Amino acid sequence: MKTAVYPGSFDPLTYGHTHIIQRALPCCDKLILAIIDNPQKKSFFSHTQKLDLYKAYFSKEKKIEILTFSGLLVDFMQKIDASIVIRGLRNTVDFEYEKQMAVMNKKLYPQLETIFFMADPEYDIISSTLIKEILNLHGDISPFVPTEINIALKENLDHKQ
Ligand code: ADP
């Protein structure tokens, strides 16, 4: 049973992420979308909101499971008996950061392998941070995030204002 873990903040989940997920699915038996729960990091969606939303969004895809974790990724990976990490690369900034993380994670957990997917040119300009900036300024983010997520983002924004 090959379990792969796609860790991230997913604040919010974008078409950049969903495209990586669709491409990673044939490489594993089970794919865990692992939402990092870091109370220090200010987040637009709460982790429980992310859990509910993303569980509903991927409900038809039986190979996908949505979990949250806190602490070290390698500890979480060992706990769930997984050794494959999925990450996406958009540019050289991602590359430098991801390279350091992948090498360090392997030092901490030698069985671990990180598999990288190069972002599709259609999606490589999408970042969750930029999406939130556009949203806060009332721009149209519909080309970049799934419809269900866009609706929830707008509801959150209305509550915050
Ligand atoms: P993190 O806080 O861990 O960077 P993100 O949710 O921003 O969490 O990203 C999770 C993973 O998805 C990272 O590997 C990131 O490089 C990748 N990713 C983010 N946006 C895109 C995109 N538009 N295309 C491809 N990969 C992406």
Side-chain angles (χ1 to χ4, degrees), residues 57-71:
Y57 181 72
F58 289 112
S59 61
K60 289 199 177 77
E61 185 46 79
K62 298 297 165 225
K63 277 168 82 173
I64 300 181
E65 196 178 328
I66 319 291
L67 297 176
T68 59
F69 76 101
S70 53

Side-chain angles (χ1 to χ4, degrees), residues 6-10 16-17 20 41 87-88 90 94 98 119 123 126:
Y6 183 25
S9 309
F10 306 110
H17 298 126
I20 297 291
K41 209 168 161 183
R87 295 289 283 177
R90 285 162 291 189
D94 273 356
E98 296 289 344
Y123 304 111
I126 305 174

Side-chain angles (χ1 to χ4, degrees), residues 2-5 32 73-74 76-85 109 111-112:
K2 232 185 264 172
T3 302
V5 173
I32 295 176
L73 174 65
V74 290
F76 171 71
M77 300 282 298
Q78 275 163 300
K79 203 169 83 188
I80 62 165
D81 197 21
S83 57
I84 303 167
V85 176
Y109 179 19
Q111 289 96 316
L112 182 146

